[in-house]
Amino acid sequence: MTLTVNERLEDGTVRGLGSYWGCDLDKKQFLPCRFEQVEGDVHGGDSIVTHLEPQTRTKHRRQQPRSAGQLTLTGKGANYGVSVAGVPFFDILSCDEDIEVEVTLSEARSYLDRQGGDGPISFLAGPACYRNPILRPHVGKNHLVELHGGQRWQKLTLLSKGSVTFASVGFIATISDQHPSELPGGFECSSELYNNLWDASARTLQLCTAAKGSTPPLWEITPHGARIGGARASKHRDSFAWKDYRLAFDVSVNRHNCGWSVGMTGLQGYVFYLHRAGYLRAGRPESERLVADSISAVWGYVDEDAVSVENHYFSTKPLPFALSLDQPHTIETTVSEKGIGVSMRGVVIYEIPRNDLRLSVVSGSTEPYGAFGFAPGPEGLATYTNVVVTSLISGDVIYSSKLDSPACLDQFGAGTTTVDCLLDGGKRDRVIWGGDAAIMGPPLAYSTGDMKALRETIRFLASWRKSDGRFASAVPPTHPFGPGVVEDAPMTFYFSLGYELYSIQTIHDAWMYGAMTTADLVELYPAIEEQLNRAESFVDDLGLIFCGPGQTMEAMEFNYYDPPRLGHSTKLNAQYVLSLKQASEISTAVRRPSNASKYCQRANRTAAAINRHLWNESKQAYGITAASLHVIAQDANVFCILASVAEGQTAKVVLNNLVRYLGHPNGFLAFDRESGYRESISNFVSGWHLLAALKVGAADHADYILSKILAPQAQPDQRNPRDGLGVRPLKPNFEKFAIAPTLLGLSSASARVPTVSGMIRAAWSLKEGVLNISVEAPPGLEGIVDLSRLGKVSHVRKVDAKAISPEHSRDISPLAFRGKIEVTASVGSQ
């Protein structure tokens, strides 16, 4: 039988769940709205849904009274879906003993019927990567604390014989459910597609904004140790540089499996699982059922391959003795250059000899080193205690804990969200990424207005700076604030030089949009200086950043699964130019004029060098690197436009040639088809591409990105179509701002933009070639109307002002105003 539910769900925001993580339980919840499909033995399903009407821009869905009743599932295979972001709850009226219900989640309907939903999620995400945990229900309220966010679709599958009766199911909300029309910022236009895109953008930003304390810990701390459910290993934060050590711990298997990891570096490590006899992972064929208690070993992040990270399965071997349930077992694992060995009861139960050790992409060596951590893997549940780590060199104990104190949650990053922040997606396992914060900051200002999340994201990444000056790039929000400058920190907190520079862009935008004050800039300024000094240390005699063979991590970009961009990377150098220009503005604000001048000079130097050495004359575009000028990369060319390395007609030529080299029915490829890189469309890079198109005034180009790439997917990295209004700050806090519309084929558009001084309201309409613009700004703000994006403009008239003559139509000066302004102009084709 199958139950599937579509549409979003209703109700508010809650920051806690009773005693789970110390916050009071809010009564607001997300509830299912309807069943889309029912198969099999299902009774009373309509009694637990709200029957909400479909969402529209103008008609809010209202909660309808639910009829009293219950949902009963019997037999095998019940599926049920909802669309929310929160902690799943299941109010059980009755259930048979030993009932098991698989809970599958997916952000897209197409993955709902896939085993595991849309998980496991790979790369630098947090430990909650599995999307199909097993619920063992009991009468009363049940919760699955390991799931949160990205809950567009949910399915419940009854795995065992028997019956379970639900009084209600849903999610305790961990995000705001405020309707987009009620947000501080707003946008509406003549295109329903763009209106829906703006709504989806705002909702996605809500999904990607996590409040402090909004998630329950992954580990339940008990007097007997840490009770851990199905997840990937949470790693000890201070052990990433450790090698030649012995890890010992006691573990009680409470359900199916227990697991642990050693030698974890940035991407991969050695993962071991103990399985109980009879274990069969949900959805797998009967032939995979284990006939004996066993141990298995994997090199990777999880126990199966993900799209972007390869895993290596070693083997599964039977244990020489029984793995008793709910009984403590002592396990020892040694890690050294000679290999890795696992022992129980003084007996070696698994060995990985030196010749079978895997090559680490981080160290470039097969010698195992790195962090240890604990998690039972999918469907498992185990309690861990009496952890002791001993150096094999000195014999000293370098770590010990019974895991019976909340303090260990911070040590392993297994606690609640420690900061209001922006994440790189709505799922529980996501990370605070510098690049995603950079592109999400301005759209946040135009929609939800949650500038505290932007400010705290910056402060959080800055708190984990390394002593060489680099900003942290990818930190899970379950870790605490760092000390400011660190010598040793998890290597997973840092990514590449480009992602370090994103922090400067984020700081600049946060300042311009009102999330940070000048006093905040003064506090962060030493970090900005150190980061730019670090970047400058890579600059060679050509005036370009150069990353050599030993600097592969610095040369990586968003496409971490492709080769790093060694040598002179166009995107990295263009981004450096942009960061220098923004740092020059910041330097002026904090009264460091000598630095402001220095950064301008460096920006001009590197910009000239890019045009001299990285321009492909035959293709009339920028190559990906100096050594591969024939390869055209989307981000390299886009950032040259954003940094004004390419200006005027050159910028327009570059955009046109991106259509030629990267054009695709679904948008723009990240790399040309002959590049050898993975063929993909990047929402992240397409967001920057949209900004470049709007900067140049390429309306058709911008419309293509919005309609082909961003509208169908509504990703957090996209820009809102409010750019059609072109309201942007020219000075911090919109003290001076511009409205520079791009028509985008629209006949009308309006927007409201919240500022610390009040609301800016702007609107325009176009009829028979006549454009009417009206803007109202709060007291104290100075605005300008800039029509330069509109192509041929004539007969511009400001209310109560003289008309500007047609002969000046290609060079119309911006119209300054305070308070209100209305402008009428004749507009030709863009």
Side-chain angles (χ1 to χ4, degrees), residues 395-676:
D396 296 336
V397 173
I398 52 181
Y399 176 81
S400 66
S401 173
K402 292 185 177 181
L403 301 185
D404 58 357
S405 167
C408 68
L409 295 176
D410 277 349
Q411 296 170 356
F412 288 85
T416 186
T417 310
T418 61
V419 61
D420 294 282
C421 60
L422 302 177
L423 303 176
D424 69 321
K427 295 184 177 73
R428 162 81 184 244
D429 72 315
R430 304 319 294 170
V431 170
I432 300 173
W433 276 90
D436 295 84
I439 203 166
M440 282 194 284
L444 199 76
Y446 290 108
S447 55
T448 68
D450 192 348
M451 306 311 286
K452 181 181 179 183
L454 177 59
R455 179 178 183 272
E456 293 303 289
T457 292
I458 294 169
R459 293 183 60 247
F460 189 69
L461 293 177
S463 76
W464 286 103
R465 299 190 322 278
K466 292 203 76 172
S467 55
D468 62 3
R470 75 183 76 181
F471 271 83
S473 305
V475 185
T478 50
H479 287 280
F481 265 89
V485 177
V486 295
E487 290 290 339
D488 294 313
M491 57 192 71
T492 54
F493 284 15
Y494 309 93
F495 183 58
S496 70
L497 187 54
Y499 273 71
E500 295 166 27
L501 293 176
Y502 278 127
S503 289
I504 293 178
Q505 293 175 241
T506 309
I507 291 169
H508 176 270
D509 284 347
W511 172 51
M512 294 297 288
Y513 285 90
M516 305 196 84
T517 65
T518 302
D520 292 324
L521 296 185
V522 171
E523 179 183 347
L524 285 169
Y525 193 76
I528 295 172
E529 283 187 288
E530 291 171 9
Q531 178 63 72
L532 291 176
N533 288 340
R534 166 173 157 79
E536 184 67 18
S537 71
F538 289 82
V539 175
D540 63 9
D541 293 341
L542 297 179
L544 295 170
I545 289 177
F546 180 88
C547 293
Q551 297 162 327
T552 56
M553 287 302 296
E554 282 82 359
M556 293 182 74
E557 288 293 348
F558 76 96
N559 56 319
Y560 58 88
Y561 36 79
D562 287 320
R565 303 185 199 182
L566 295 174
H568 300 105
S569 163
T570 304
K571 182 267 179 182
L572 178 57
N573 276 280
Q575 186 183 3
Y576 184 42
V577 171
L578 179 60
S579 296
L580 286 167
K581 291 180 177 180
Q582 292 171 330
S584 180
E585 294 180 34
I586 293 172
S587 298
T588 299
V590 300
R591 300 181 180 180
R592 297 291 296 274
S594 61
N595 273 1
S597 176
K598 177 176 67 177
Y599 294 149
C600 272
Q601 292 172 3
R602 289 178 177 177
N604 293 336
R605 171 208 63 196
T606 299
I610 292 171
N611 284 322
R612 187 178 306 115
H613 300 289
L614 299 174
W615 174 256
N616 185 322
E617 183 64 26
S618 64
K619 290 196 170 184
Q620 291 290 288
Y622 295 92
I624 188 171
T625 65
S628 301
L629 283 179
H630 63 286
V631 175
I632 304 303
Q634 182 187 22
D635 58 358
N637 286 274
V638 163
F639 267 88
C640 283
I641 295 172
L642 293 175
S644 297
V645 174
E647 296 185 282
Q649 187 60 31
T650 300
K652 294 180 179 179
V653 168
V654 168
L655 283 179
N656 289 334
N657 283 326
L658 290 186
V659 177
R660 175 184 176 187
Y661 299 122
L662 306 179
H664 186 277
N666 295 323
F668 288 93
L669 295 175
F671 307 96
D672 68 76
R673 294 169 178 81
E674 285 74 44
S675 67

Side-chain angles (χ1 to χ4, degrees), residues 197-476:
L197 174 56
W198 194 92
D199 284 1
S201 301
R203 290 185 182 278
T204 305
L205 285 166
Q206 289 175 320
L207 281 169
C208 296
T209 304
K212 180 179 180 180
S214 62
T215 56
L218 278 173
W219 294 7
E220 180 185 357
I221 301 301
T222 76
H224 308 291
R227 186 177 170 92
I228 307 174
R232 183 169 57 198
S234 295
K235 299 175 286 294
H236 183 256
R237 187 172 56 248
D238 297 331
S239 64
F240 275 81
W242 292 0
K243 60 182 179 179
D244 295 313
Y245 63 84
R246 177 185 296 108
L247 168 67
F249 60 91
D250 291 341
V251 61
S252 298
V253 179
N254 307 121
R255 183 178 68 228
H256 289 325
N257 317 313
C258 71
W260 68 100
S261 301
V262 294
M264 299 295 292
T265 55
L267 290 173
Q268 296 163 311
Y270 298 88
V271 185
F272 297 92
Y273 296 104
L274 297 184
H275 307 284
R276 292 258 299 161
Y279 172 67
L280 178 67
R281 188 164 177 180
R284 297 294 176 86
E286 184 65 27
S287 60
E288 294 186 15
R289 186 180 299 278
L290 295 175
V291 298
D293 295 339
S294 306
I295 180 171
S296 62
V298 177
W299 159 260
Y301 236 19
V302 291
D303 60 340
E304 61 182 71
D305 282 344
V307 173
S308 54
V309 177
E310 179 185 0
N311 293 329
H312 173 77
Y313 167 72
F314 287 105
S315 64
T316 298
K317 299 179 179 181
L319 293 175
F321 36 73
L323 183 64
S324 303
L325 198 65
D326 298 322
Q327 297 295 319
H329 303 276
T330 299
I331 298 173
E332 290 189 355
T333 306
T334 58
V335 180
S336 75
E337 62 179 4
K338 297 179 181 179
I340 298 175
V342 180
S343 301
M344 290 179 64
R345 304 182 189 175
V347 177
V348 176
I349 60 173
Y350 203 100
E351 287 186 289
I352 303 175
R354 182 202 299 263
N355 292 340
D356 290 341
L357 295 173
R358 307 293 293 181
L359 178 68
S360 168
V361 297
V362 175
S363 67
S365 168
T366 59
E367 181 181 2
Y369 79 95
F372 71 92
F374 302 106
E379 306 172 23
L381 181 67
T383 303
Y384 300 79
T385 189
N386 297 329
V387 180
V388 178
V389 182
T390 306
S391 168
L392 296 179
I393 304 299
S394 66
D396 296 336
V397 173
I398 52 181
Y399 176 81
S400 66
S401 173
K402 292 185 177 181
L403 301 185
D404 58 357
S405 167
C408 68
L409 295 176
D410 277 349
Q411 296 170 356
F412 288 85
T416 186
T417 310
T418 61
V419 61
D420 294 282
C421 60
L422 302 177
L423 303 176
D424 69 321
K427 295 184 177 73
R428 162 81 184 244
D429 72 315
R430 304 319 294 170
V431 170
I432 300 173
W433 276 90
D436 295 84
I439 203 166
M440 282 194 284
L444 199 76
Y446 290 108
S447 55
T448 68
D450 192 348
M451 306 311 286
K452 181 181 179 183
L454 177 59
R455 179 178 183 272
E456 293 303 289
T457 292
I458 294 169
R459 293 183 60 247
F460 189 69
L461 293 177
S463 76
W464 286 103
R465 299 190 322 278
K466 292 203 76 172
S467 55
D468 62 3
R470 75 183 76 181
F471 271 83
S473 305
V475 185

